[in-house]
């Protein structure tokens, strides 16, 4: 992973997960992997060399970005779905995630 993409992942995690610390309702929080887990997911995905990638439970797209990098490197297709609509500015946050 190049430095630009690493910075994007780091900023995405910080900007989208850190505000969750003040949310008392766990259902209002984003459902993201921790950075180490996301990196392990990427390693395992690349090692498996899948023809297609399906992610169930997109949340705000943090793990999707990791899987998209894998899909690009592997020349494969990624499909990511979620039943919870993306809601930038959830619980009064200003802005939202990239």
């Amino acid at each position: 992973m190049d430095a630009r993409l690493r910075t994007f992942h780091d900023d995405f995690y910080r900007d989208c997960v850190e505000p969750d610390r003040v949310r008392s309702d766990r259902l209002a929080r984003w459902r993201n992997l921790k950075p180490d887990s996301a990196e392990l997911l990427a390693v395992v995905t690349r090692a498996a060399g899948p023809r297609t990638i399906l992610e169930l439970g997109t949340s705000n797209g943090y793990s999707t970005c990791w899987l998209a990098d894998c899909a690009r490197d592997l020349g494969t297709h990624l499909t990511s779905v979620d039943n919870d609509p993306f809601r930038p500015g959830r619980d009064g946050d200003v802005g939202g995630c990239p």
Side-chain angles (χ1 to χ4, degrees):
M1 175 179 301
D2 65 34
R4 184 183 60 82
L5 189 53
R6 172 64 69 179
T7 299
F8 171 80
H9 285 298
D10 292 345
D11 292 346
F12 192 148
Y13 183 79
R14 184 194 66 245
D15 293 346
C16 296
V17 177
E18 292 301 318
D20 279 349
R21 292 179 196 256
V22 299
R23 293 189 177 113
S24 59
D25 180 1
R26 71 173 181 79
L27 297 177
R29 297 179 196 146
W30 296 113
R31 292 155 190 88
N32 287 333
L33 297 173
K34 302 281 188 215
D36 290 346
S37 297
E39 193 162 354
L40 177 61
L41 174 66
V43 168
V44 170
T45 301
R46 282 186 175 88
R51 289 179 284 163
T52 61
I53 301 170
L54 173 63
E55 178 186 39
L56 300 175
T58 305
S59 186
N60 63 350
Y62 179 71
S63 57
T64 309
C65 291
W66 284 88
L67 291 171
D69 185 48
C70 294
R72 184 193 63 219
D73 290 349
L74 296 168
T76 190
H77 180 80
L78 166 65
T79 301
S80 185
V81 295
D82 201 307
N83 65 352
D84 186 21
F86 179 73
R87 292 175 282 165
R90 189 177 275 197
D91 290 347
D93 287 347
V94 176
C97 299

